[in-house]
Amino acid sequence: MTRNTRILMSIIYWAFVVYLFVPLVLMILMGFKDSKFIGFPIKSWTLDWYVGVFRDTEVISVFIYSTTIAIASTAISLTVGTWISVLLAGRSFFGRTVILGLTILPAVIPGIISAISFRIFARLLGVETGMFAIIWAHAVHNVPFVALVVMARLATLPASHTEAAMDLGADRFVSFFRITLPYLKPALIGAGVFCMLLSFDDFVRSFFLGGYEPTLPVLIFSKLRSGMSPEINAIATVVLIMTAVLGIWAERSMRRMGKGT
């Protein structure tokens, strides 16, 4: 690689960094503005908006509600996605392509189409809008991501590991829980964190299937309808920090487990 190429690549890299992070920095800064409206210049600074986030019972209640939905839908996604991956990985049978296509389908359907379909289907089944309907929709949407990640991890599992376990008397059930499942831990952590963030951030399906109690994205949307306020920036910043902490923890856990294998 020539010197000019390295310089060009550096310029492209830093331009991408600026493009990606400057909006986030501006969002964080606006949360400290001592005014009811966002915008420059910032003449005075305050922490009142951040203090208000932790004192606002509505925001805390909605945050807990959204987190509960994210955890429940992620647990379902991990369970279903893992078993589908075990069924499909390393096997060739009639209908495998159809099962794989149906598994991935929810991930490629546009969000608005998916939300409308879930709403119609829920109505046909007599499922009321609310927490259960949102969990169901989020879980179905997240299963493809779990399946793809776990299948990729299963592809690197040496067949000799499970064969040795079975030679020692373990059946397929015991071999899965003693050999395969521990080997899948890094993939399950990564897929689980990704699914939680997808669920927590999902607006369209939550909007169409939500009842009277909104999720956090729906609450922010309702607040935006009355105008941009530093309160929204404060809420978004708190969520951003929690997301970053969760992502760093997941990355370090996956790296530590990867070194152990």
Side-chain angles (χ1 to χ4, degrees), residues 192-208:
V193 171
F194 186 69
C195 289
M196 282 191 65
L197 297 180
L198 280 179
S199 176
F200 195 85
D201 187 57
D202 193 301
F203 169 76
V204 180
R205 276 165 285 269
S206 299
F207 182 80
F208 274 80

Side-chain angles (χ1 to χ4, degrees), residues 73-252:
S73 62
T74 298
I76 297 172
S77 302
L78 289 175
T79 303
V80 177
T82 300
W83 283 111
I84 292 177
S85 302
V86 172
L87 172 66
L88 299 178
R91 297 181 182 181
S92 179
F93 56 88
F94 178 76
R96 181 183 185 278
T97 304
V98 176
I99 295 175
L100 180 61
L102 292 175
T103 302
I104 299 175
L105 188 62
V108 299
I109 296 177
I112 185 66
I113 304 300
S114 174
I116 294 173
S117 302
F118 276 119
R119 183 60 185 265
I120 295 173
F121 192 43
R123 187 172 182 179
L124 290 175
L125 294 178
V127 177
E128 297 291 335
T129 56
M131 177 184 285
F132 177 77
I134 297 175
I135 291 173
W136 165 53
H138 287 188
V140 173
H141 179 255
N142 292 340
V143 163
F145 303 103
V146 176
L148 292 175
V149 172
V150 174
M151 285 179 66
R153 179 68 175 174
L154 281 173
T156 64
L157 174 63
S160 58
H161 289 192
T162 55
E163 291 173 357
M166 297 182 72
D167 289 340
L168 294 172
D171 57 21
R172 292 187 180 274
F173 187 79
V174 174
S175 175
F176 172 78
F177 281 98
R178 292 289 185 90
I179 305 297
T180 306
L181 193 59
Y183 187 81
L184 292 177
K185 278 186 178 180
L188 294 176
I189 290 176
V193 171
F194 186 69
C195 289
M196 282 191 65
L197 297 180
L198 280 179
S199 176
F200 195 85
D201 187 57
D202 193 301
F203 169 76
V204 180
R205 276 165 285 269
S206 299
F207 182 80
F208 274 80
L209 294 168
Y212 294 103
E213 188 172 1
T215 60
L216 190 62
V218 176
L219 177 66
I220 293 176
F221 173 74
S222 65
K223 289 181 176 292
L224 283 172
R225 298 177 68 179
S226 59
M228 288 291 293
S229 166
E231 178 191 16
I232 298 174
N233 295 77
I235 295 173
T237 301
V238 171
V239 174
L240 176 65
I241 293 173
M242 292 181 176
T243 300
V245 171
L246 182 61
I248 293 172
W249 171 82
E251 191 275 336
R252 290 188 175 181

